[in-house]
Each structure stands twice: as structure tokens, then as C-alpha cells.
Amino acid sequence: MPVRDVLKMGDPLLRRVAEEVTMFGTPTLTGMIQDMLDTMAALSGAGIAAPQIGINQRIVIFGFDKNPRYPHIAPIPMTILINPVIEPLSDEMHEMWEGCLSVPGMRGMVPRYKHIRYQGRDAQGVAFERIVSDFHARVVQHECDHLDGVLYPQRIVDMTQFGFIDELTRAGIIPALSQNS
Ligand code: NI
């Protein structure tokens, strides 16, 4: 399966509200998920949402053992999450520098709910749910935002906390990364 081009901020396809998946376990769905997995792996992403490769369906994938874009972060199990629903478990927010494959070369400080429950279906349509915190919760919120046409810069509260990785690194504001996207 091919690595697909990732759409970049400004492309109207990233602004759409994606549609619910209604057919599970199909070759079409399997193929779309494989393209997402291959594309995410090629770019060392922590996650990717279907709209980022131009597929207008409510599918996100995320997870990694070790990620060069986010060193010093605990592993997240590789997860395929379809038709997700997120429920914050408290009002507590957590701020962190965040990036996105659709906004290459940049980072912004984004508040996200610290504790959430999420539920959805896997590729076979089997329902599951998890209660998670911190970076795992952040990744899920970030990826699911893509399904509603929202990119992380829209979540930045203080726009002085948004910039190019090169400059933020040079200034010592974020740690040096081994990869620059
Ligand atoms: Ni993203």
C-alpha cells in the first residue's frame, strides 16, 4: 500500500466534517487504514487522521513505542479508532507544545483535557473504550479534532506560543528533535 501525500493547512479538504464509517471489515476500509498506517510510519507521526490523506471518514490511528518527534514520552499502544466519541473526565487542562503533520516545521502550545474517556470501534466494528491521561489523551483529542475540520493552531490560546521548530529549538524553548517535521 502506498504512502500518501499529507494535506497541509490551507487545503479546504482539512476543514470538512468527516462522515461516520458505516461498513466495517471491508477491503475498502482495510486499504484506507493501511494507507494511513504506512503514511504515519513514513513520517514518524504519533497519529494521523483520515482527512489528512484526503479521506472524509471518521477514522484516526495513533500510537508508538518511541517517537523521534516526541522524545521522552511514554509509549501509546498502536490504535485504530473509528467513529470516536470523547468525554472529558474533569475540567483539568494540560498545556504542551504540539505539532501536526499538516502543519510541518511548527509547534504551538495547546491546552487539552488532561483526563478523558474515549470510545469508538476498531476496523472490524468491535466497540471499545479507554480511560487515558496526559499525552495519550492529547493525541486522541488532536486526531479527533481533524475529523471536525479543526487544526491545532485553532486551539492555541496565546499566539506568542506558536512558532517554527528551528527557532523554538535555537531559543531553547523546546528540546532539540531528531526529526524536523
Ligand atoms: Ni494533526
Side-chain angles (χ1 to χ4, degrees):
M1 289 290 175
V3 172
R4 305 264 292 256
D5 287 338
V6 173
L7 307 184
K8 295 192 180 70
M9 185 169 66
D11 190 320
L13 297 184
L14 288 171
R15 308 261 319 145
R16 297 185 295 184
V17 175
E19 294 173 355
E20 297 258 323
V21 173
T22 54
M23 302 276 282
F24 292 89
T26 63
T28 305
L29 182 61
T30 304
M32 291 191 296
I33 290 168
Q34 193 60 53
D35 284 2
M36 291 171 66
L37 288 166
D38 292 347
T39 304
M40 183 174 107
L43 299 175
S44 299
I48 194 168
Q52 291 182 275
I53 58 169
I55 296 170
N56 196 35
Q57 301 273 308
R58 301 187 80 79
I59 309 166
V60 302
I61 63 174
F62 51 86
F64 55 86
D65 284 331
K66 217 169 164 22
N67 190 306
R69 299 179 78 243
Y70 296 97
H72 320 302
I73 294 286
I76 297 174
M78 190 57 68
T79 303
I80 296 161
L81 177 62
I82 300 173
N83 300 342
V85 177
I86 294 175
E87 175 194 353
L89 294 180
S90 77
D91 292 334
E92 189 178 352
M93 307 298 282
H94 178 254
E95 285 203 318
M96 192 179 143
W97 290 95
E98 201 168 289
C100 179
L101 298 176
S102 293
V103 192
M106 303 194 80
R107 287 285 187 279
M109 183 67 86
V110 181
R112 300 282 186 187
Y113 289 110
K114 186 174 170 65
H115 305 289
I116 64 168
R117 182 202 323 267
Y118 66 91
Q119 53 186 296
R121 294 182 184 276
D122 69 13
Q124 301 302 316
V126 178
F128 67 99
E129 68 168 53
R130 287 186 185 139
I131 292 175
V132 299
S133 301
D134 300 311
F135 194 72
H136 190 152
R138 172 174 301 275
V139 168
V140 173
Q141 290 168 82
H142 175 112
E143 298 309 332
C144 292
D145 264 356
H146 280 294
L147 305 182
D148 293 323
V150 175
L151 300 176
Y152 83 80
Q154 294 165 255
R155 299 288 191 190
I156 297 172
V157 174
D158 177 356
M159 287 303 288
T160 68
Q161 304 294 293
F162 183 40
F164 291 95
I165 292 171
D166 286 348
E167 303 304 331
L168 294 166
T169 304
R170 206 193 321 269
I173 295 169
I174 62 172
L177 301 173
S178 56
Q179 199 159 337
N180 209 21
S181 57

